[in-house]
């Protein structure tokens, strides 16, 4: 890929956005373009910011980008050599989607009453989840067994999380902040189903629909 | 070197003590040297069910604190020379027995007996941890009720955490007619939830209450359904592949017809 092609988005939107915040300046670096372009832009922005006499604290947010040690050193060097900015904080707040990139946690066995499984990503259970057992996951929850317990998927606010089980008979399911308890009377077999959010409503659908739902969401 | 088996359930009143007394007696009946240990400190019952209450001089706390030797506290059963009881203390607190001293006591008993049957208190607190600590195996007792199955599930989780390998399940107080009508949890449902090996089933039997009040374990009476259940359990503990008793309610009479034998393994 040529240099000019990579730089093209720069004309459409800023690679570095500077925001004044209560205790200094926040530099938001675009996370979907080459770091070299971002650094170039950052250098311009820093030079443009040198107006005040006193020192300012600069906070750097890198979004979803995985910042290497080299990158961080370069960014810190830019701030150090240009003007009166002191780097106060680095990297952005971890977001739900970044948590979802974590490896899934695979548990083999029965999740029994009183057991709690918490994980910052997807959770896969090879076995049953019994009443009184609980799973809290930032991502999806897949149960290769009989779900009879309580599940909270997308616990840190991910509305696109799903809960799927071979035999779907939970006491209670939560996705993000939406809670739904089991229907008092089941009207159809509970085999191979998953729960997802349709707007603010929880919906249960046959597993075959999961791929379609994913395609619709991405 | 004997084997220590803890009898536990989580929920109270499902028949831990009755099961301990009957399994212990049934094993003695089969010629094994058995010691039953009551760990329900403060609420001791096993001695009453066995009819040995009036013989208690020392108890397990006295042994733990060194007030007496282990042999002094052991009560010999009035029916079998090979059957002994180590009673719980009635006036002390559960905290008086530590996991450490329980381990020592159970280890000593295992040297002398073929089987050490430990009767666990209800609940999952200190008393439970003490009862479980020295055990090699565990028997989980439940009844066909949702609450009992939930508590059993919790206890199985705790036992697994204690590295007690694959506990065995006893389903107690089964009423075949209710189970057949679907008013009671089905045996298959319970096993599917708890995913344990079934050690045996015990039908609900008035004679158990009568026997407990007389201080005579049910297994002493050969004709009662519960007695047969417990005798089968004892034989399975010894590795005998006894088929599960038939609970069919048709054809006039509960256990007259042993038509349909269901294999255990």
């Amino acid at each position: 890929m040529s240099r000019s092609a990579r730089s093209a988005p720069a004309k459409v939107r800023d690679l570095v956005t500077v925001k004044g915040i209560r205790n200094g300046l926040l530099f938001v670096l675009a996370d979907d373009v080459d770091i070299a372009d971002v650094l170039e832009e950052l250098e311009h922005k820093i030079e443009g910011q040198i107006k005040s006499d006193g020192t300012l604290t600069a906070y750097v947010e890198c979004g979803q980008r995985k910042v290497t040690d080299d990158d961080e050193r370069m960014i810190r060097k830019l701030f150090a050599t240009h003007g009166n900015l002191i780097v106060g904080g680095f990297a952005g707040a971890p977001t739900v989607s970044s948590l979802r990139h974590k490896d899934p946690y695979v548990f083999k066995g029965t999740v029994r009453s009183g057991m709690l499984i918490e994980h910052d990503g997807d959770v896969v259970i090879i076995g049953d989840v019994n009443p009184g057992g609980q799973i809290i996951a930032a991502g999806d929850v897949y149960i290769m067994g009989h779900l009879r317990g309580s599940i909270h998927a997308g616990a840190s606010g991910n509305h696109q999380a799903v809960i799927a089980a071979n035999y779907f008979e939970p006491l209670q399911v939560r996705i993000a902040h939406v809670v739904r308890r089991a229907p008092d009377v089941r009207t159809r077999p509970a085999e191979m189903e998953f729960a997802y959010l349709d707007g603010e409503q929880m919906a249960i659908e046959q597993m075959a629909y999961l791929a379609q739902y994913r395609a619709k969401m991405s | 070197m004997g084997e220590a088996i803890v009898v536990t359930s989580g929920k109270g009143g499902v028949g831990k003590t009755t099961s301990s007394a009957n399994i212990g007696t049934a094993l003695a009946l089969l010629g094994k040297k058995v010691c039953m240990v009551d760990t329900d400190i403060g609420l001791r019952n096993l001695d009453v069910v066995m009819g040995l209450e009036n013989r208690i001089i020392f108890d397990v706390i006295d042994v733990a604190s060194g007030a007496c030797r282990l042999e002094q506290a052991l009560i010999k059963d009035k029916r079998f020379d090979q059957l002994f009881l180590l009673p719980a203390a009635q006036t002390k607190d559960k905290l008086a027995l530590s996991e450490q001293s329980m381990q020592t006591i159970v280890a000593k008993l295992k040297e002398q007996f073929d089987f050490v049957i430990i009767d666990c208190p209800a609940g999952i607190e200190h008393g439970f941890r003490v009862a479980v600590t020295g055990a090699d195996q565990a028997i989980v007792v439940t009844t066909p009720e949702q609450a009992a199955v939930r508590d059993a599930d919790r206890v199985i989780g705790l036992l697994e955490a204690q590295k007690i390998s694959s506990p065995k399940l006893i389903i107690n107080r089964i009423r075949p007619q209710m189970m057949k009508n679907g008013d009671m949890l089905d045996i298959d449902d319970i096993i599917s939830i708890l995913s344990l090996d079934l050690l045996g089933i015990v039908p609900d039997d008035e004679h158990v209450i009568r026997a407990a009040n007389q201080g005579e374990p049910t297994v002493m009476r050969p004709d009662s359904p519960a007695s047969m259940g417990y005798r089968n359990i004892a034989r399975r503990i010894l590795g005998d592949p006894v088929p599960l008793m038939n609970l069919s309610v048709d054809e006039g009479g509960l256990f007259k017809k042993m038509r349909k034998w269901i294999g255990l393994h």
Side-chain angles (χ1 to χ4, degrees):
Chain A
M1 204 193 277
S2 74
R3 176 89 192 169
S4 59
R6 252 186 300 165
S7 307
K11 291 171 184 88
V12 187
R13 85 190 150 92
D14 285 342
L15 297 185
V16 176
T17 317
V18 186
K19 293 175 185 168
I21 54 174
R22 196 161 47 86
N23 43 2
L25 290 173
L26 176 68
F27 289 78
V28 183
L29 310 188
D31 57 6
D32 51 357
V33 289
D34 197 277
I35 186 77
D37 296 331
V38 176
L39 289 175
E40 201 178 316
E41 173 102 358
L42 179 65
E43 193 171 352
H44 289 301
K45 285 278 162 84
I46 291 173
E47 279 170 356
Q49 286 300 324
I50 309 169
K51 287 165 194 152
S52 63
D53 298 326
T55 53
L56 271 174
T57 313
Y59 296 89
V60 186
E61 203 179 287
C62 301
Q64 303 298 317
R65 184 194 297 281
K66 276 190 176 167
V67 183
T68 63
D69 289 348
D70 266 0
D71 295 342
E72 184 174 340
R73 210 168 34 244
M74 300 259 276
I75 293 168
R76 283 183 186 280
K77 203 172 134 192
L78 280 178
F79 279 101
T81 50
H82 292 85
N84 47 2
L85 290 165
I86 297 158
V87 180
F90 207 85
T95 57
V96 171
S97 48
S98 78
L99 288 174
R100 291 200 60 237
H101 290 306
K102 282 204 172 177
D103 287 341
Y105 174 69
V106 181
F107 178 87
K108 291 168 191 157
T110 308
V111 180
R112 297 189 183 276
S113 175
M115 281 177 69
L116 169 65
I117 291 177
E118 273 184 293
H119 183 59
D120 284 346
D122 296 351
V123 173
V124 179
I125 307 290
I126 319 283
D128 296 349
V129 179
N130 279 356
Q134 206 180 357
I135 296 167
I136 300 175
D140 301 336
V141 179
Y142 303 98
I143 294 148
M144 300 180 79
H146 199 140
L147 168 56
R148 303 182 185 93
S150 305
I151 311 290
H152 192 173
S156 35
N158 178 15
H159 287 250
Q160 291 179 21
V162 300
I163 299 165
N166 281 9
Y167 204 85
F168 194 86
E169 217 176 26
L171 277 183
Q172 195 185 79
V173 280
R174 300 183 191 190
I175 296 174
H177 63 279
V178 181
V179 184
R180 194 176 147 181
R181 68 174 172 80
D184 292 325
V185 185
R186 275 210 76 94
T187 49
R188 58 198 168 117
E191 276 158 40
M192 304 290 277
E193 291 185 327
F194 74 102
Y196 64 99
L197 281 188
D198 186 10
E200 287 293 293
Q201 287 293 311
M202 189 141 354
I204 314 278
E205 197 57 68
Q206 290 294 309
M207 198 76 85
Y209 180 69
L210 180 57
Q212 253 177 287
Y213 169 73
R214 279 279 181 256
K216 208 172 83 183
M217 281 298 142
S218 59
Chain B
M1 192 70 174
E3 210 171 334
I5 305 174
V6 63
V7 180
T8 181
S9 72
K11 192 176 180 300
V14 296
K16 281 180 298 297
T17 303
T18 310
S19 295
S20 301
N22 282 297
I23 292 168
T25 311
L27 285 169
L29 208 60
L30 293 166
K32 295 291 164 190
K33 200 172 180 207
V34 182
C35 181
M36 297 177 287
V37 184
D38 191 352
T39 59
D40 202 348
I41 317 293
L43 288 169
R44 72 172 174 215
N45 289 142
L46 190 53
D47 52 318
V48 183
V49 174
M50 292 298 294
L52 301 171
E53 196 177 10
N54 55 1
R55 294 163 202 232
I56 296 174
I57 294 161
F58 296 113
D59 55 47
V60 68
I61 300 293
D62 293 324
V63 179
S65 64
C68 73
R69 284 178 293 112
L70 178 60
E71 290 71 22
Q72 286 177 294
L74 292 179
I75 300 167
K76 195 165 89 172
D77 185 65
K78 48 188 172 186
R79 293 152 290 246
F80 298 97
D81 289 341
Q82 300 271 69
L83 182 60
F84 288 83
L85 170 71
L86 180 57
Q90 184 68 326
T91 52
K92 311 251 174 35
D93 188 79
K94 282 201 167 56
L95 297 170
L97 190 56
S98 73
E99 292 180 41
Q100 190 82 57
S101 45
M102 184 65 187
Q103 279 171 11
T104 318
I105 292 170
V106 173
K108 269 191 207 162
L109 288 172
K110 274 165 66 180
E111 289 168 12
Q112 303 174 36
F113 292 92
D114 298 324
F115 287 98
V116 180
I117 307 290
I118 303 162
D119 184 22
C120 179
I124 51 172
E125 297 81 25
H126 180 79
F128 168 81
R129 288 196 297 273
V130 168
V132 162
T133 183
D136 307 309
Q137 285 191 51
I139 293 175
V140 176
V141 183
T142 188
T143 58
E145 293 163 74
Q146 289 282 13
V149 173
R150 295 286 156 87
D151 291 2
D153 188 50
R154 179 89 170 92
V155 156
I156 295 161
L158 294 172
L159 288 170
E160 282 169 353
Q162 292 264 359
K163 306 273 180 263
I164 292 190
S165 58
S166 55
K168 302 281 189 293
L169 183 68
I170 291 180
I171 305 176
N172 196 10
R173 280 218 220 108
I174 292 173
R175 294 167 79 162
Q177 186 64 55
M178 286 187 76
M179 215 171 241
K180 200 183 166 209
N181 296 346
D183 299 329
M184 211 174 222
L185 277 177
D186 195 26
I187 294 173
D188 292 335
D189 293 344
I190 298 171
I191 296 173
S192 123
I193 291 177
L194 298 179
S195 49
L196 282 195
D197 288 343
L198 184 63
L199 182 61
I201 53 174
V202 181
D204 198 27
D205 185 350
E206 277 181 17
H207 186 257
V208 173
I209 302 169
R210 207 174 301 134
N213 287 336
Q214 289 163 0
E216 179 97 336
T218 317
V219 277
M220 297 307 293
R221 235 179 89 152
D223 57 338
S224 95
S227 163
M228 285 164 63
Y230 282 119
R231 284 177 186 221
N232 286 348
I233 286 166
R235 285 173 63 190
R236 287 187 200 111
I237 290 173
L238 299 179
D240 212 353
V242 193
L244 214 57
M245 68 197 298
N246 188 10
L247 292 173
S248 61
V249 280
D250 48 0
E251 312 209 20
L254 292 184
F255 308 101
K256 296 222 168 75
K257 287 272 179 185
M258 295 278 184
R259 297 175 292 130
K260 211 173 117 200
W261 294 101
I262 308 156
L264 236 200
H265 299 291

